[in-house]
Every structure is written in C-alpha cells, then in structure tokens.
Amino acid sequence: MLSLVIGNKQLSSWSLRPWLVLRHLEIAFREIPLTLDVPSFGPAIQQYSAAGRVPVLVDGDLGIWDSLAIIEYLHEKSAGRAWPSDPAQRAHARSISAEMHSGFAALRQSWPLQAATTGLRVPLSPEGRKDVARIDELWQDCRRRHRNAGPWLFGKWSAADAFYAPVVLRFRSYGASVSEVSAAYVSQTLADPSLIEWIAAAEEEIAA
Ligand SMILES: N[C@@H](CCC(=O)N[C@@H](CS)C(=O)NCC(=O)O)C(=O)O
C-alpha cells in the first residue's frame, strides 16, 4: 500500500494537495504524520527524504518528494485520472497549478495556512493583493470556460482543485474578498467531504 508522509493538517498546505488527490482518486494509502516545527522533525523526515520536507509518497522502495512530482506519479498510477482528459485542458490545468506551485509567495507568506482557524485579519501587502487578484482572475476564467461541465475549475474535479484547496482555506481563514464566481468556487471547495475531513482533523490537532 502507498504511504503519504505529511505534516500537521493545520499547517501543511503542501501535504494537503496530494492527500486530496489520493482521496478523490480513491487510492488506498496510509498516512505517516510528522509534526512540523519541532526538533524531532529533521531526523524523522530524513528517514523518507533527504530534501527534508513533507509531503513524501512512499511506494515500496520508491520515495517521491515534492507535491507536484507526487501528483504526476499518481496521475500515471491511476491511468491518467488526476488531470483533465482533454490535452488542452490538461495543459491549462498544469499551467495554473505550476503557477501556484512556484508563485504567490507574498500571499503565502502573509497568510500561512491555518486550516481550521477562521476570523484571522492580517492586511496584505500590495504584492499579496496582486496575488489574490490574479487567483480570482484565473478561477473566474476556468469557471467561465467549464461551467457547463461541472462545479470545479475544469468542470470535473482535478488536481488543479487540489492545488488551489489550500488557497481556498486561506481565503476562508483571513477573509479575502473575491468575485461572485470565485466566491461560489470557494463554497464548492469548502463543501468537499474530503476537505471537511482534513479540517476536522486539523481542529482535533489544535485542540489536543
Ligand atoms: N515544493 C515543496 C514544498 C514542501 C514544503 O515546503 N513543505 C513544508 C511543510 S508545508 C516543510 O516540509 N517544511 C519543513 C521544513 O522546511 O523544515 C512541495 O511542493 O512539496
């Protein structure tokens, strides 16, 4: 069985992405939870990845680190079910996901993931506001193109929705104001049973 090494559900936005893909593709896996920001994290993660970061997917002797590489592996293992089946849509979904994976640093820095926490109010820098506007624009574009195919960014749920799920949680925690189209997408994502399960586990973590 596959194992996914993850960080705290309250904090680890990168862990959430492949976890959601595994859940949505209904691939059985075991979670190996590690606690971030404690001295034991370093030696613990070194057992799985010399890169020293979560998430890591373990498949037998193979260890795959970095959320994007893990999701591509899951796409291959699932006969192409993680990304949209249409090549043009797939390229678009990969583009917006790569933009998330390598960008939006100002937003990520000012509004770190606090999955189970709401009511936070932290002003964004002009760069952070630009990131929110860009995300709002790309969500609206996806929803307009695919609104007849279903409620997710590309109609049917895909890895692009996993890439943006932590952004949805940040928008919920810190109270971003976005267009009506994006607000509907936020509600859609927050109603996802898998994401609800993640938030509930994050609540338990912070209550412990
Ligand atoms: N680009 C990596 C980022 C992974 C990452 O930064 N993980 C954080 C937790 S969300 C981590 O392991 N931090 C621990 C550390 O840097 O000591 C990915 O996509 O997986």
Side-chain angles (χ1 to χ4, degrees), residues 6-8 11-18 36-38 41-42 45 51-56 65-70 101-102 108 113 163:
I6 58 173
N8 311 44
L11 305 175
S12 187
S13 62
W14 297 110
S15 300
L16 170 57
R17 294 170 170 104
L36 291 161
D37 304 328
V38 293
F41 176 77
I45 190 61
R53 295 190 162 193
V54 286
V56 181
W65 66 97
D66 194 287
S67 54
L68 189 52
I70 294 170
H101 189 256
S102 62
R108 289 198 269 124
L113 185 71
F163 267 94

Short mmCIF file of all heavy atoms in Angstrom, two decimals, residues 6-8 11-18 36-38 41-42 45 51-56 65-70 101-102 108 113 163, ligand 1:
data_model
loop_
_atom_site.label_atom_id
_atom_site.label_comp_id
_atom_site.label_asym_id
_atom_site.label_seq_id
_atom_site.Cartn_x
_atom_site.Cartn_y
_atom_site.Cartn_z
N ILE A 6 3.12 13.22 5.79
CA ILE A 6 2.55 14.58 5.78
C ILE A 6 2.93 15.33 7.05
O ILE A 6 3.34 14.74 8.05
CB ILE A 6 1.00 14.55 5.65
CG1 ILE A 6 0.37 13.75 6.80
CG2 ILE A 6 0.56 14.01 4.30
CD1 ILE A 6 -1.16 13.82 6.83
N GLY A 7 2.73 16.65 6.99
CA GLY A 7 2.94 17.48 8.18
C GLY A 7 1.61 17.71 8.89
O GLY A 7 0.59 17.08 8.57
N ASN A 8 1.61 18.63 9.85
CA ASN A 8 0.39 18.96 10.60
C ASN A 8 -0.72 19.38 9.63
O ASN A 8 -0.49 20.22 8.76
CB ASN A 8 0.62 20.15 11.53
CG ASN A 8 1.86 20.01 12.38
OD1 ASN A 8 2.91 19.62 11.89
ND2 ASN A 8 1.75 20.36 13.63
N LEU A 11 -1.29 23.10 9.37
CA LEU A 11 -0.25 23.98 8.81
C LEU A 11 0.23 23.62 7.42
O LEU A 11 0.73 24.48 6.68
CB LEU A 11 1.00 23.96 9.73
CG LEU A 11 0.81 24.30 11.19
CD1 LEU A 11 2.12 24.10 11.95
CD2 LEU A 11 0.32 25.74 11.35
N SER A 12 0.13 22.35 7.05
CA SER A 12 0.90 21.91 5.88
C SER A 12 0.10 21.94 4.58
O SER A 12 -0.52 20.97 4.17
CB SER A 12 1.47 20.51 6.11
OG SER A 12 2.33 20.19 5.03
N SER A 13 0.17 23.09 3.92
CA SER A 13 -0.57 23.26 2.66
C SER A 13 -0.06 22.31 1.59
O SER A 13 -0.83 21.78 0.80
CB SER A 13 -0.44 24.70 2.17
OG SER A 13 0.91 25.01 1.92
N TRP A 14 1.25 22.05 1.58
CA TRP A 14 1.80 21.17 0.53
C TRP A 14 1.36 19.73 0.75
O TRP A 14 1.17 18.98 -0.21
CB TRP A 14 3.32 21.28 0.47
CG TRP A 14 3.75 22.66 0.10
CD1 TRP A 14 4.38 23.58 0.91
CD2 TRP A 14 3.56 23.32 -1.17
NE1 TRP A 14 4.57 24.75 0.21
CE2 TRP A 14 4.08 24.63 -1.05
CE3 TRP A 14 2.98 22.95 -2.39
CZ2 TRP A 14 4.06 25.55 -2.10
CZ3 TRP A 14 2.95 23.86 -3.43
CH2 TRP A 14 3.50 25.14 -3.28
N SER A 15 1.18 19.32 2.03
CA SER A 15 0.73 17.95 2.30
C SER A 15 -0.71 17.74 1.85
O SER A 15 -1.09 16.66 1.39
CB SER A 15 0.79 17.65 3.81
OG SER A 15 2.10 17.78 4.29
N LEU A 16 -1.53 18.80 1.99
CA LEU A 16 -2.95 18.68 1.66
C LEU A 16 -3.17 18.31 0.19
O LEU A 16 -4.07 17.54 -0.14
CB LEU A 16 -3.66 20.01 2.00
CG LEU A 16 -5.10 20.20 1.53
CD1 LEU A 16 -6.02 19.10 2.06
CD2 LEU A 16 -5.63 21.58 1.98
N ARG A 17 -2.33 18.85 -0.70
CA ARG A 17 -2.59 18.66 -2.14
C ARG A 17 -2.57 17.18 -2.55
O ARG A 17 -3.58 16.68 -3.07
CB ARG A 17 -1.60 19.51 -2.94
CG ARG A 17 -1.84 21.00 -2.72
CD ARG A 17 -0.72 21.86 -3.29
NE ARG A 17 -1.09 23.26 -3.27
CZ ARG A 17 -0.62 24.16 -2.40
NH1 ARG A 17 0.21 23.80 -1.46
NH2 ARG A 17 -1.01 25.41 -2.46
N PRO A 18 -1.47 16.45 -2.35
CA PRO A 18 -1.50 15.02 -2.76
C PRO A 18 -2.47 14.19 -1.94
O PRO A 18 -3.04 13.20 -2.45
CB PRO A 18 -0.06 14.55 -2.56
CG PRO A 18 0.56 15.55 -1.65
CD PRO A 18 -0.15 16.85 -1.86
N LEU A 36 5.57 19.28 12.39
CA LEU A 36 6.47 20.32 11.90
C LEU A 36 6.92 21.20 13.06
O LEU A 36 6.27 21.25 14.10
CB LEU A 36 5.74 21.21 10.88
CG LEU A 36 5.39 20.54 9.53
CD1 LEU A 36 4.30 21.34 8.82
CD2 LEU A 36 6.64 20.45 8.66
N ASP A 37 8.02 21.92 12.83
CA ASP A 37 8.49 22.94 13.77
C ASP A 37 8.87 22.41 15.15
O ASP A 37 8.70 23.10 16.16
CB ASP A 37 7.44 24.08 13.94
CG ASP A 37 7.08 24.71 12.60
OD1 ASP A 37 7.95 24.76 11.71
OD2 ASP A 37 5.91 25.14 12.44
N VAL A 38 9.30 21.15 15.20
CA VAL A 38 9.85 20.61 16.46
C VAL A 38 11.19 19.95 16.10
O VAL A 38 11.39 19.55 14.95
CB VAL A 38 8.90 19.57 17.13
CG1 VAL A 38 7.61 20.23 17.62
CG2 VAL A 38 8.60 18.39 16.22
N PHE A 41 11.47 16.75 13.98
CA PHE A 41 11.03 16.69 12.58
C PHE A 41 12.20 16.36 11.65
O PHE A 41 12.07 15.51 10.75
CB PHE A 41 10.38 18.02 12.15
CG PHE A 41 10.00 18.04 10.68
CD1 PHE A 41 8.86 17.38 10.24
CD2 PHE A 41 10.80 18.69 9.73
CE1 PHE A 41 8.52 17.36 8.89
CE2 PHE A 41 10.46 18.68 8.38
CZ PHE A 41 9.32 18.03 7.96
N GLY A 42 13.34 17.01 11.86
CA GLY A 42 14.51 16.83 10.99
C GLY A 42 14.91 15.38 10.85
O GLY A 42 14.88 14.81 9.74
N ILE A 45 12.02 13.18 9.14
CA ILE A 45 11.80 13.31 7.69
C ILE A 45 12.98 12.74 6.90
O ILE A 45 12.81 12.23 5.78
CB ILE A 45 11.47 14.77 7.28
CG1 ILE A 45 11.00 14.86 5.81
CG2 ILE A 45 12.63 15.72 7.52
CD1 ILE A 45 9.76 14.12 5.48
N ALA A 51 15.58 15.62 1.07
CA ALA A 51 15.19 17.02 0.85
C ALA A 51 14.65 17.65 2.15
O ALA A 51 14.59 18.87 2.27
CB ALA A 51 14.14 17.12 -0.25
N GLY A 52 14.23 16.80 3.09
CA GLY A 52 13.86 17.29 4.41
C GLY A 52 12.51 17.99 4.48
O GLY A 52 12.28 18.78 5.39
N ARG A 53 11.63 17.70 3.53
CA ARG A 53 10.32 18.36 3.54
C ARG A 53 9.20 17.37 3.29
O ARG A 53 9.38 16.37 2.60
CB ARG A 53 10.26 19.44 2.46
CG ARG A 53 11.24 20.53 2.78
CD ARG A 53 11.09 21.71 1.90
NE ARG A 53 11.77 22.80 2.56
CZ ARG A 53 11.65 24.06 2.23
NH1 ARG A 53 10.87 24.41 1.26
NH2 ARG A 53 12.32 24.98 2.88
N VAL A 54 8.04 17.70 3.83
CA VAL A 54 6.82 16.94 3.51
C VAL A 54 6.08 17.71 2.42
O VAL A 54 6.21 18.94 2.34
CB VAL A 54 5.92 16.78 4.76
CG1 VAL A 54 6.51 15.78 5.71
CG2 VAL A 54 5.65 18.12 5.47
N PRO A 55 5.30 17.01 1.60
CA PRO A 55 4.95 15.60 1.64
C PRO A 55 5.97 14.71 0.92
O PRO A 55 6.72 15.18 0.07
CB PRO A 55 3.62 15.57 0.88
CG PRO A 55 3.77 16.66 -0.15
CD PRO A 55 4.56 17.74 0.54
N VAL A 56 5.92 13.42 1.28
CA VAL A 56 6.69 12.38 0.57
C VAL A 56 5.73 11.21 0.36
O VAL A 56 5.03 10.81 1.29
CB VAL A 56 7.91 11.91 1.40
CG1 VAL A 56 8.70 10.85 0.63
CG2 VAL A 56 8.81 13.06 1.80
N TRP A 65 9.30 12.89 -3.50
CA TRP A 65 9.09 14.10 -2.72
C TRP A 65 8.68 15.24 -3.64
O TRP A 65 8.91 15.17 -4.84
CB TRP A 65 10.37 14.46 -1.93
CG TRP A 65 11.54 14.84 -2.77
CD1 TRP A 65 11.94 16.12 -3.08
CD2 TRP A 65 12.47 13.97 -3.42
NE1 TRP A 65 13.06 16.08 -3.87
CE2 TRP A 65 13.40 14.79 -4.10
CE3 TRP A 65 12.61 12.58 -3.51
CZ2 TRP A 65 14.46 14.27 -4.85
CZ3 TRP A 65 13.65 12.06 -4.26
CH2 TRP A 65 14.57 12.90 -4.92
N ASP A 66 8.07 16.21 -3.06
CA ASP A 66 7.51 17.39 -3.72
C ASP A 66 6.10 17.08 -4.24
O ASP A 66 5.88 16.12 -4.98
CB ASP A 66 8.39 17.91 -4.87
CG ASP A 66 7.94 19.31 -5.27
OD1 ASP A 66 6.88 19.42 -5.88
OD2 ASP A 66 8.65 20.28 -4.93
N SER A 67 5.17 17.94 -3.85
CA SER A 67 3.75 17.72 -4.14
C SER A 67 3.47 17.53 -5.63
O SER A 67 2.68 16.67 -6.03
CB SER A 67 2.91 18.88 -3.60
OG SER A 67 3.39 20.11 -4.08
N LEU A 68 4.15 18.31 -6.47
CA LEU A 68 3.87 18.23 -7.91
C LEU A 68 4.34 16.88 -8.48
O LEU A 68 3.61 16.23 -9.24
CB LEU A 68 4.55 19.41 -8.63
CG LEU A 68 4.23 19.63 -10.10
CD1 LEU A 68 2.74 19.68 -10.36
CD2 LEU A 68 4.89 20.93 -10.58
N ALA A 69 5.53 16.45 -8.07
CA ALA A 69 6.05 15.16 -8.54
C ALA A 69 5.15 14.02 -8.06
O ALA A 69 4.89 13.06 -8.80
CB ALA A 69 7.48 14.95 -8.05
N ILE A 70 4.67 14.12 -6.84
CA ILE A 70 3.79 13.07 -6.29
C ILE A 70 2.50 13.01 -7.10
O ILE A 70 2.03 11.93 -7.48
CB ILE A 70 3.48 13.35 -4.80
CG1 ILE A 70 4.75 13.24 -3.95
CG2 ILE A 70 2.40 12.39 -4.29
CD1 ILE A 70 4.59 13.74 -2.51
N HIS A 101 2.32 26.41 -7.67
CA HIS A 101 3.45 25.69 -7.07
C HIS A 101 4.70 26.57 -6.94
O HIS A 101 5.44 26.47 -5.97
CB HIS A 101 3.74 24.45 -7.94
CG HIS A 101 4.72 23.51 -7.34
ND1 HIS A 101 6.02 23.43 -7.77
CD2 HIS A 101 4.60 22.59 -6.35
CE1 HIS A 101 6.64 22.50 -7.06
NE2 HIS A 101 5.80 21.99 -6.20
N SER A 102 4.88 27.45 -7.92
CA SER A 102 6.12 28.25 -7.91
C SER A 102 5.86 29.72 -7.61
O SER A 102 6.79 30.53 -7.68
CB SER A 102 6.82 28.13 -9.26
OG SER A 102 5.99 28.64 -10.28
N ARG A 108 1.33 33.65 0.29
CA ARG A 108 1.65 32.51 1.15
C ARG A 108 2.37 32.98 2.42
O ARG A 108 2.18 32.42 3.50
CB ARG A 108 2.47 31.48 0.40
CG ARG A 108 1.63 30.76 -0.64
CD ARG A 108 2.23 29.48 -1.10
NE ARG A 108 3.06 29.67 -2.25
CZ ARG A 108 4.34 29.31 -2.33
NH1 ARG A 108 4.94 28.77 -1.30
NH2 ARG A 108 5.01 29.49 -3.44
N LEU A 113 -1.10 28.89 5.96
CA LEU A 113 -2.25 28.01 6.19
C LEU A 113 -2.51 27.85 7.69
O LEU A 113 -1.61 27.54 8.47
CB LEU A 113 -2.03 26.63 5.55
CG LEU A 113 -3.24 25.70 5.65
CD1 LEU A 113 -4.37 26.16 4.73
CD2 LEU A 113 -2.88 24.25 5.32
N PHE A 163 -4.53 21.73 -6.00
CA PHE A 163 -3.52 22.78 -5.88
C PHE A 163 -4.09 24.05 -5.25
O PHE A 163 -3.39 24.75 -4.51
CB PHE A 163 -2.85 23.07 -7.23
CG PHE A 163 -1.61 22.25 -7.38
CD1 PHE A 163 -1.64 21.03 -8.03
CD2 PHE A 163 -0.43 22.66 -6.79
CE1 PHE A 163 -0.52 20.23 -8.11
CE2 PHE A 163 0.71 21.87 -6.86
CZ PHE A 163 0.66 20.65 -7.53
N1 LIG B 1 7.78 22.48 -3.03
C1 LIG B 1 7.55 21.55 -1.94
C2 LIG B 1 7.36 22.34 -0.66
C3 LIG B 1 7.31 21.45 0.56
C4 LIG B 1 7.37 22.24 1.85
O1 LIG B 1 7.84 23.41 1.89
N2 LIG B 1 6.95 21.60 2.95
C5 LIG B 1 6.99 22.22 4.25
C6 LIG B 1 5.69 21.95 5.03
S1 LIG B 1 4.25 22.52 4.21
C7 LIG B 1 8.06 21.56 5.09
O2 LIG B 1 8.29 20.36 4.99
N3 LIG B 1 8.72 22.34 5.94
C8 LIG B 1 9.64 21.82 6.87
C9 LIG B 1 10.99 22.45 6.82
O3 LIG B 1 11.26 23.18 5.84
O4 LIG B 1 11.76 22.20 7.77
C10 LIG B 1 6.35 20.67 -2.30
O5 LIG B 1 5.60 21.06 -3.20
O6 LIG B 1 6.18 19.58 -1.74
#
